[in-house]
Amino acid sequence: MTVAIDIQQVHKHYGANHAVRGIDLQIAQGEFFGLLGPNGAGKSTLINIIAGLTRMSSGSVSVMGHDVVRNYRQSRQCLGVVPQELVFDPFFSVRELLEIQAGYFGKDRRSNRAWVDSLLDGLKLSDKADANMRSLSGGMKRRVLIAQALVHKPQVLILDEPTAGVDVELRTSLWAFVQGLHNDGHTIILTTHYLEEAENLCQRIGIINQGQLIALDTKQALLERGMGKHARMFVELSRPLAQIPESLQALCKQHTETRLEISLERGQGAIMAVLDTLRAAGADVVDLKTEEVDLEDIFIELTRRSA
Ligand code: ADP
């Protein structure tokens, strides 16, 4: 594999707070990678280190082979970052803002014009090109952030919580756009709280908690890892049980007198065992539903275990 981002033994201390604790991670060129983790896990710190905005305490990071400290300009040239916060100079129009940004990267306005137009078009901003930033809605501003991150045609794009507070329609169109970039060969790194997004989009997922990478695998492998450990079973009874059988008490959540949720620790075979136990206790099961684990379950499980 050709490495797009190479992170070696990175640590970051903020005073006494050891925010990133020895992360090793290689992201391949052309990969769509998801970085997940609870608030305060160290995701933004890691991204800021990759972008050269935060100085790491020790370790090394390179982007497309360029060290982010020693060869800052070259590494930054290969990288676009869509930040979480919407910060703009309100006096510029959308196009002006993009041209200024391109200028920082040494792109000449005329030769870059076709690319800016295609970004405006792809992000459905064409009719806002001459509008002042302050007149745009929050969702529009977020699209401009993405255009801004891409204006110098970087090969690697990092999106830091790009859909926080964004409505469903915009989210869908943003993902279609990002998916298109990925299909064109861009490397995409996404941090998100919406696990569903990571599950739909990312090929490989890293989970970070308290500054450490606690899981790193393909989406499929992560799902399989959780599978059979943590399925859920919902049972509807025709009448209340006198008592929940003792062997099920720790696994059972009683939603109503006749509706139980039971965690299955040992995979599909456990379903029959649970049913047998319930029947032996006099239960009349009228409905049964099982639910497979998704990334959310695994995420919660892993962060709980590492805590
Ligand atoms: P995440 O992006 O996963 O929510 P962050 O990288 O923002 O996590 O934060 C990781 C830890 O580092 C937290 O404990 C946070 O309080 C701390 N931290 C982040 N930025 C700073 C900073 N500029 N100064 C001091 N501490 C910080």
Coordinates of all heavy atoms in Angstrom, one line a residue, residues 20-61:
V20 N -2.9 12.8 23.8 CA -2.7 11.8 22.8 C -1.5 10.9 23.3 O -0.4 11.4 23.6 CB -2.3 12.4 21.4 CG1 -2.0 11.3 20.4 CG2 -3.5 13.2 20.9
R21 N -1.8 9.6 23.4 CA -0.9 8.7 24.1 C -0.3 7.7 23.2 O -0.7 6.5 23.3 CB -1.6 8.1 25.3 CG -2.2 9.0 26.3 CD -3.2 8.3 27.2 NE -3.7 9.3 28.2 CZ -3.6 9.2 29.5 NH1 -3.0 8.1 30.0 NH2 -4.1 10.1 30.2
G22 N 0.6 8.1 22.4 CA 1.3 7.1 21.6 C 0.5 6.4 20.5 O 0.3 5.2 20.5
I23 N 0.0 7.3 19.5 CA -0.8 6.7 18.4 C 0.1 6.4 17.2 O 0.9 7.2 16.8 CB -1.9 7.7 18.1 CG1 -2.9 7.7 19.2 CG2 -2.6 7.3 16.7 CD1 -4.2 8.4 18.9
D24 N -0.1 5.2 16.7 CA 0.5 4.7 15.5 C -0.6 4.4 14.5 O -1.5 3.7 14.9 CB 1.3 3.4 15.7 CG 2.6 3.6 16.4 OD1 3.4 4.3 15.8 OD2 2.8 3.0 17.5
L25 N -0.6 5.0 13.3 CA -1.7 4.8 12.4 C -1.2 5.1 11.0 O -0.6 6.2 10.8 CB -2.8 5.7 12.8 CG -4.1 5.8 11.9 CD1 -4.7 4.4 11.8 CD2 -5.1 6.8 12.4
Q26 N -1.4 4.2 10.0 CA -1.1 4.5 8.7 C -2.4 4.4 7.8 O -3.2 3.5 7.9 CB -0.1 3.5 8.1 CG 1.3 3.7 8.5 CD 1.5 3.2 10.0 OE1 1.0 2.2 10.4 NE2 2.3 4.0 10.7
I27 N -2.6 5.5 7.1 CA -3.8 5.5 6.2 C -3.4 5.5 4.8 O -2.5 6.2 4.4 CB -4.7 6.8 6.5 CG1 -5.2 6.7 8.0 CG2 -5.8 7.0 5.6 CD1 -5.8 8.0 8.5
A28 N -4.0 4.6 4.0 CA -3.5 4.3 2.7 C -4.1 5.3 1.7 O -5.1 5.9 1.9 CB -3.9 2.9 2.2
Q29 N -3.3 5.5 0.6 CA -3.8 6.4 -0.4 C -5.1 5.9 -1.0 O -5.2 4.7 -1.3 CB -2.8 6.5 -1.5 CG -1.9 7.7 -1.4 CD -0.9 7.9 -2.5 OE1 -1.4 7.9 -3.7 NE2 0.3 7.9 -2.2
G30 N -6.1 6.7 -1.1 CA -7.4 6.3 -1.7 C -8.3 5.7 -0.7 O -9.4 5.3 -1.1
E31 N -7.9 5.6 0.5 CA -8.8 5.0 1.6 C -9.8 6.0 2.1 O -9.6 7.3 2.0 CB -7.9 4.6 2.7 CG -8.6 3.7 3.7 CD -7.7 3.1 4.8 OE1 -6.5 3.4 4.8 OE2 -8.2 2.3 5.6
F32 N -11.0 5.5 2.5 CA -12.0 6.3 3.2 C -12.0 5.8 4.6 O -12.4 4.8 4.9 CB -13.4 6.1 2.5 CG -14.3 7.2 2.8 CD1 -15.1 7.7 1.7 CD2 -14.5 7.8 4.0 CE1 -16.0 8.7 1.9 CE2 -15.4 8.9 4.2 CZ -16.2 9.3 3.2
F33 N -11.4 6.7 5.5 CA -11.1 6.2 6.9 C -12.0 7.0 7.9 O -12.1 8.2 7.8 CB -9.6 6.5 7.2 CG -9.2 5.9 8.5 CD1 -8.7 4.6 8.6 CD2 -9.2 6.7 9.6 CE1 -8.3 4.1 9.8 CE2 -8.8 6.2 10.8 CZ -8.3 4.9 10.9
G34 N -12.5 6.3 8.8 CA -13.3 6.9 9.9 C -12.6 6.9 11.2 O -12.0 5.9 11.6
L35 N -12.5 8.1 11.8 CA -11.9 8.2 13.1 C -13.0 8.6 14.1 O -13.6 9.6 14.1 CB -10.9 9.3 13.1 CG -10.0 9.5 14.4 CD1 -9.2 8.2 14.6 CD2 -9.1 10.7 14.2
L36 N -13.3 7.6 15.0 CA -14.4 7.8 15.9 C -13.9 7.8 17.3 O -12.8 7.4 17.7 CB -15.4 6.6 15.8 CG -16.0 6.3 14.5 CD1 -16.9 5.1 14.6 CD2 -16.7 7.5 13.9
G37 N -14.7 8.4 18.2 CA -14.4 8.4 19.6 C -15.2 9.4 20.3 O -15.7 10.4 19.7
P38 N -15.4 9.3 21.7 CA -16.2 10.2 22.4 C -15.6 11.6 22.5 O -14.4 11.7 22.2 CB -16.3 9.5 23.8 CG -15.1 8.6 23.9 CD -14.8 8.2 22.5
N39 N -16.3 12.5 23.0 CA -15.8 13.9 23.2 C -14.6 13.8 24.1 O -14.6 13.1 25.1 CB -16.8 14.8 23.9 CG -17.7 15.4 22.8 OD1 -17.3 15.7 21.7 ND2 -19.0 15.6 23.2
G40 N -13.6 14.6 23.7 CA -12.4 14.7 24.6 C -11.4 13.5 24.3 O -10.4 13.4 25.0
A41 N -11.7 12.7 23.3 CA -10.9 11.5 23.1 C -9.5 11.8 22.5 O -8.5 11.1 22.7 CB -11.6 10.5 22.2
G42 N -9.4 13.0 21.8 CA -8.2 13.4 21.2 C -8.2 13.5 19.7 O -7.2 13.7 19.1
K43 N -9.4 13.3 19.1 CA -9.6 13.4 17.7 C -9.1 14.7 17.1 O -8.3 14.7 16.1 CB -11.0 13.1 17.3 CG -11.6 11.8 17.8 CD -13.0 11.6 17.3 CE -14.0 12.6 17.9 NZ -14.2 12.6 19.3
S44 N -9.6 15.8 17.6 CA -9.3 17.1 17.0 C -7.8 17.4 17.2 O -7.1 17.9 16.3 CB -10.1 18.2 17.7 OG -11.4 18.0 17.4
T45 N -7.3 17.0 18.4 CA -5.8 17.2 18.6 C -5.0 16.5 17.5 O -4.1 17.1 16.9 CB -5.5 16.7 20.0 OG1 -6.2 17.5 21.0 CG2 -4.0 16.9 20.3
L46 N -5.4 15.2 17.3 CA -4.7 14.5 16.3 C -4.8 15.1 14.9 O -3.8 15.2 14.2 CB -5.2 13.0 16.2 CG -4.4 12.0 15.5 CD1 -3.0 11.8 16.1 CD2 -5.1 10.7 15.4
I47 N -6.0 15.6 14.5 CA -6.2 16.2 13.2 C -5.4 17.5 13.1 O -4.7 17.8 12.1 CB -7.7 16.4 13.0 CG1 -8.3 15.1 12.6 CG2 -7.9 17.5 11.9 CD1 -9.8 15.1 12.6
N48 N -5.4 18.3 14.2 CA -4.6 19.5 14.2 C -3.1 19.2 14.1 O -2.4 20.0 13.5 CB -4.9 20.3 15.5 CG -6.3 20.9 15.4 OD1 -6.9 21.1 14.3 ND2 -6.9 21.2 16.5
I49 N -2.7 18.1 14.7 CA -1.2 17.8 14.5 C -0.9 17.4 13.1 O 0.0 17.9 12.5 CB -0.9 16.6 15.5 CG1 -0.9 17.1 16.9 CG2 0.5 16.0 15.1 CD1 -0.8 16.0 18.0
I50 N -1.8 16.7 12.4 CA -1.6 16.3 11.0 C -1.6 17.5 10.1 O -0.8 17.7 9.2 CB -2.8 15.3 10.5 CG1 -2.7 14.0 11.3 CG2 -2.6 15.1 9.0 CD1 -4.0 13.1 11.1
A51 N -2.5 18.5 10.5 CA -2.6 19.7 9.7 C -1.5 20.7 10.1 O -1.4 21.8 9.5 CB -4.0 20.4 9.9
G52 N -0.6 20.4 11.0 CA 0.5 21.3 11.4 C 0.0 22.5 12.2 O 0.7 23.5 12.3
L53 N -1.2 22.4 12.8 CA -1.7 23.5 13.6 C -1.4 23.4 15.1 O -1.4 24.3 15.8 CB -3.3 23.6 13.4 CG -3.8 23.8 12.0 CD1 -5.3 23.7 12.0 CD2 -3.4 25.2 11.6
T54 N -1.2 22.1 15.5 CA -0.8 21.8 16.9 C 0.5 21.1 16.9 O 0.7 20.2 16.0 CB -1.9 21.0 17.6 OG1 -3.1 21.7 17.6 CG2 -1.5 20.6 19.0
R55 N 1.4 21.5 17.7 CA 2.7 20.9 17.8 C 2.7 19.6 18.6 O 2.3 19.7 19.8 CB 3.8 21.9 18.3 CG 5.2 21.5 18.1 CD 6.1 22.6 18.4 NE 6.3 23.5 17.2 CZ 7.2 23.3 16.3 NH1 8.0 22.3 16.4 NH2 7.3 24.1 15.2
M56 N 3.1 18.5 18.1 CA 3.1 17.3 18.9 C 4.2 17.3 19.9 O 5.2 18.0 19.7 CB 3.2 16.0 18.0 CG 4.4 15.9 17.2 SD 4.2 14.6 15.9 CE 4.3 15.6 14.4
S57 N 4.1 16.6 21.1 CA 5.1 16.6 22.1 C 6.3 15.7 21.6 O 7.4 16.0 21.9 CB 4.6 16.2 23.4 OG 3.5 16.9 23.8
S58 N 5.9 14.5 21.0 CA 6.9 13.7 20.4 C 6.2 12.8 19.4 O 5.0 12.7 19.4 CB 7.6 12.8 21.5 OG 6.6 12.0 22.1
G59 N 7.0 12.1 18.6 CA 6.5 11.3 17.5 C 6.7 12.0 16.1 O 7.3 13.1 16.1
S60 N 6.2 11.4 15.1 CA 6.3 12.0 13.8 C 5.1 11.7 12.9 O 4.4 10.7 13.1 CB 7.5 11.5 13.0 OG 7.4 10.2 12.7
V61 N 4.8 12.7 12.0 CA 3.6 12.5 11.1 C 4.1 13.0 9.8 O 4.7 14.1 9.7 CB 2.4 13.4 11.6 CG1 1.3 13.3 10.6 CG2 1.9 13.0 13.0

